[in-house]
Short mmCIF file of all heavy atoms in Angstrom, two decimals:
data_model
loop_
_atom_site.label_atom_id
_atom_site.label_comp_id
_atom_site.label_asym_id
_atom_site.label_seq_id
_atom_site.Cartn_x
_atom_site.Cartn_y
_atom_site.Cartn_z
N CYS A 1 19.36 14.79 -22.95
CA CYS A 1 19.90 15.00 -24.27
C CYS A 1 19.22 16.19 -25.00
O CYS A 1 18.06 16.53 -24.74
CB CYS A 1 19.78 13.81 -25.13
SG CYS A 1 20.66 12.34 -24.46
N SER A 2 19.97 16.79 -25.89
CA SER A 2 19.41 17.85 -26.73
C SER A 2 18.38 17.21 -27.73
O SER A 2 18.36 16.00 -27.92
CB SER A 2 20.49 18.54 -27.54
OG SER A 2 21.12 17.61 -28.45
N LYS A 3 17.53 18.03 -28.27
CA LYS A 3 16.48 17.54 -29.18
C LYS A 3 17.07 16.82 -30.38
O LYS A 3 16.50 15.85 -30.87
CB LYS A 3 15.58 18.68 -29.60
CG LYS A 3 14.83 19.32 -28.39
CD LYS A 3 14.04 20.57 -28.81
CE LYS A 3 13.34 21.20 -27.61
NZ LYS A 3 12.65 22.47 -27.96
N ALA A 4 18.17 17.32 -30.88
CA ALA A 4 18.78 16.70 -32.09
C ALA A 4 19.29 15.31 -31.72
O ALA A 4 19.21 14.39 -32.50
CB ALA A 4 19.94 17.59 -32.59
N VAL A 5 19.90 15.18 -30.53
CA VAL A 5 20.39 13.87 -30.09
C VAL A 5 19.23 12.89 -29.87
O VAL A 5 19.31 11.73 -30.22
CB VAL A 5 21.27 14.02 -28.86
CG1 VAL A 5 21.67 12.63 -28.31
CG2 VAL A 5 22.53 14.82 -29.14
N ILE A 6 18.17 13.42 -29.26
CA ILE A 6 16.97 12.55 -29.04
C ILE A 6 16.42 12.03 -30.36
O ILE A 6 16.01 10.88 -30.48
CB ILE A 6 15.90 13.33 -28.26
CG1 ILE A 6 16.37 13.59 -26.81
CG2 ILE A 6 14.56 12.57 -28.23
CD1 ILE A 6 15.42 14.47 -26.03
N ASN A 7 16.44 12.89 -31.39
CA ASN A 7 15.95 12.46 -32.70
C ASN A 7 16.79 11.34 -33.24
O ASN A 7 16.26 10.35 -33.82
CB ASN A 7 15.98 13.65 -33.66
CG ASN A 7 15.45 13.33 -35.03
OD1 ASN A 7 14.31 12.83 -35.14
ND2 ASN A 7 16.25 13.55 -36.04
N LEU A 8 18.10 11.40 -33.03
CA LEU A 8 19.01 10.31 -33.45
C LEU A 8 18.71 9.03 -32.66
O LEU A 8 18.63 7.92 -33.23
CB LEU A 8 20.45 10.73 -33.29
CG LEU A 8 21.50 9.66 -33.52
CD1 LEU A 8 21.48 9.19 -35.01
CD2 LEU A 8 22.88 10.15 -33.12
N LEU A 9 18.58 9.17 -31.37
CA LEU A 9 18.32 8.00 -30.51
C LEU A 9 17.04 7.29 -30.91
O LEU A 9 16.98 6.03 -30.86
CB LEU A 9 18.23 8.44 -29.03
CG LEU A 9 19.47 9.07 -28.44
CD1 LEU A 9 19.23 9.46 -26.98
CD2 LEU A 9 20.70 8.15 -28.54
N ASN A 10 16.04 8.01 -31.30
CA ASN A 10 14.78 7.39 -31.73
C ASN A 10 14.90 6.63 -33.01
O ASN A 10 14.05 5.81 -33.34
CB ASN A 10 13.69 8.48 -31.88
CG ASN A 10 13.15 8.92 -30.51
OD1 ASN A 10 13.14 8.15 -29.55
ND2 ASN A 10 12.66 10.14 -30.42
N LYS A 11 15.99 6.88 -33.80
CA LYS A 11 16.24 6.11 -34.99
C LYS A 11 17.12 4.88 -34.67
O LYS A 11 17.06 3.90 -35.37
CB LYS A 11 16.94 6.98 -36.04
CG LYS A 11 16.03 8.13 -36.53
CD LYS A 11 16.80 8.97 -37.55
CE LYS A 11 15.92 10.14 -38.04
NZ LYS A 11 16.68 11.03 -38.99
N VAL A 12 17.91 4.97 -33.60
CA VAL A 12 18.74 3.87 -33.22
C VAL A 12 17.93 2.77 -32.58
O VAL A 12 18.15 1.58 -32.76
CB VAL A 12 19.85 4.32 -32.24
CG1 VAL A 12 20.67 3.14 -31.74
CG2 VAL A 12 20.79 5.33 -32.95
N ARG A 13 16.89 3.14 -31.78
CA ARG A 13 16.02 2.15 -31.15
C ARG A 13 14.56 2.49 -31.48
O ARG A 13 14.20 3.64 -31.60
CB ARG A 13 16.22 2.18 -29.62
CG ARG A 13 15.78 3.40 -28.93
CD ARG A 13 16.06 3.39 -27.41
NE ARG A 13 15.45 2.24 -26.76
CZ ARG A 13 15.64 2.02 -25.46
NH1 ARG A 13 16.33 2.83 -24.72
NH2 ARG A 13 15.09 0.94 -24.87
N THR A 14 13.78 1.48 -31.61
CA THR A 14 12.33 1.66 -32.02
C THR A 14 11.37 1.11 -31.00
O THR A 14 10.16 1.22 -31.19
CB THR A 14 12.12 0.94 -33.37
OG1 THR A 14 12.43 -0.42 -33.25
CG2 THR A 14 12.95 1.56 -34.47
N ASP A 15 11.87 0.55 -29.87
CA ASP A 15 10.93 0.00 -28.88
C ASP A 15 10.24 1.06 -28.05
O ASP A 15 9.12 0.82 -27.57
CB ASP A 15 11.68 -0.99 -27.95
CG ASP A 15 12.81 -0.31 -27.24
OD1 ASP A 15 13.52 0.48 -27.88
OD2 ASP A 15 13.02 -0.62 -26.04
N ILE A 16 10.83 2.22 -27.94
CA ILE A 16 10.17 3.37 -27.33
C ILE A 16 10.46 4.61 -28.14
O ILE A 16 11.36 4.64 -28.96
CB ILE A 16 10.69 3.60 -25.86
CG1 ILE A 16 12.20 3.95 -25.87
CG2 ILE A 16 10.41 2.39 -24.95
CD1 ILE A 16 12.72 4.38 -24.53
N ARG A 17 9.67 5.63 -27.93
CA ARG A 17 9.93 6.94 -28.56
C ARG A 17 10.11 7.96 -27.49
O ARG A 17 9.19 8.35 -26.77
CB ARG A 17 8.77 7.29 -29.49
CG ARG A 17 9.03 8.65 -30.18
CD ARG A 17 8.18 8.93 -31.37
NE ARG A 17 8.60 10.16 -32.03
CZ ARG A 17 9.59 10.26 -32.88
NH1 ARG A 17 10.26 9.20 -33.16
NH2 ARG A 17 9.91 11.43 -33.42
N GLN A 18 11.32 8.46 -27.39
CA GLN A 18 11.67 9.39 -26.37
C GLN A 18 11.22 10.82 -26.74
O GLN A 18 11.23 11.20 -27.91
CB GLN A 18 13.18 9.39 -26.08
CG GLN A 18 13.70 8.02 -25.63
CD GLN A 18 15.21 8.03 -25.43
OE1 GLN A 18 15.74 8.78 -24.62
NE2 GLN A 18 15.88 7.15 -26.15
N GLU A 19 10.89 11.60 -25.75
CA GLU A 19 10.44 12.97 -25.93
C GLU A 19 11.25 13.87 -24.96
O GLU A 19 11.53 13.46 -23.83
CB GLU A 19 8.95 13.11 -25.61
CG GLU A 19 8.05 12.29 -26.55
CD GLU A 19 8.03 12.82 -27.94
OE1 GLU A 19 8.44 13.98 -28.20
OE2 GLU A 19 7.59 12.07 -28.85
N PRO A 20 11.59 15.08 -25.42
CA PRO A 20 12.23 16.04 -24.51
C PRO A 20 11.32 16.28 -23.33
O PRO A 20 10.09 16.48 -23.50
CB PRO A 20 12.41 17.30 -25.38
CG PRO A 20 12.34 16.78 -26.78
CD PRO A 20 11.39 15.64 -26.78
N ALA A 21 11.87 16.32 -22.12
CA ALA A 21 10.98 16.43 -20.95
C ALA A 21 11.42 17.56 -20.01
O ALA A 21 10.88 17.70 -18.91
CB ALA A 21 11.04 15.13 -20.19
N GLY A 22 12.41 18.36 -20.39
CA GLY A 22 12.83 19.43 -19.54
C GLY A 22 13.23 20.63 -20.36
O GLY A 22 12.59 20.90 -21.38
N ASN A 23 14.25 21.31 -19.96
CA ASN A 23 14.76 22.45 -20.73
C ASN A 23 15.83 21.93 -21.69
O ASN A 23 16.96 22.39 -21.70
CB ASN A 23 15.35 23.49 -19.79
CG ASN A 23 14.33 24.12 -18.86
OD1 ASN A 23 13.19 24.36 -19.29
ND2 ASN A 23 14.64 24.32 -17.62
N ASN A 24 15.44 20.98 -22.54
CA ASN A 24 16.39 20.37 -23.45
C ASN A 24 16.86 21.41 -24.49
O ASN A 24 16.05 22.16 -25.02
CB ASN A 24 15.74 19.22 -24.18
CG ASN A 24 15.23 18.13 -23.28
OD1 ASN A 24 14.28 18.37 -22.51
ND2 ASN A 24 15.83 16.95 -23.28
N LEU A 25 18.15 21.39 -24.75
CA LEU A 25 18.68 22.28 -25.78
C LEU A 25 18.34 21.80 -27.16
O LEU A 25 17.96 20.63 -27.35
CB LEU A 25 20.23 22.31 -25.63
CG LEU A 25 20.76 22.86 -24.31
CD1 LEU A 25 22.31 22.62 -24.26
CD2 LEU A 25 20.48 24.32 -24.13
N SER A 26 18.43 22.65 -28.16
CA SER A 26 18.21 22.26 -29.55
C SER A 26 19.34 21.32 -30.00
O SER A 26 19.13 20.27 -30.56
CB SER A 26 18.09 23.46 -30.46
OG SER A 26 16.98 24.27 -30.11
N GLY A 27 20.58 21.69 -29.70
CA GLY A 27 21.74 20.88 -29.94
C GLY A 27 21.98 20.53 -31.37
O GLY A 27 21.48 21.14 -32.29
N GLY A 28 22.75 19.44 -31.57
CA GLY A 28 23.11 18.99 -32.89
C GLY A 28 23.72 17.63 -32.79
O GLY A 28 24.33 17.24 -31.81
#
């Protein structure tokens, strides 16, 4: 996922905190 989508996912779930791990796009 793009960084913007990861930021949203981290608000949807709180049991883990995901981090960009590759060439993730900035996205929206």
Side-chain angles (χ1 to χ4, degrees):
C1 300
S2 63
K3 295 174 183 177
V5 173
I6 291 175
N7 183 55
L8 173 66
L9 298 180
N10 283 332
K11 294 178 182 178
V12 175
R13 67 183 303 178
T14 57
D15 57 321
I16 63 172
R17 180 165 185 80
Q18 300 178 59
E19 297 291 343
N23 296 320
N24 303 67
L25 299 171
S26 297

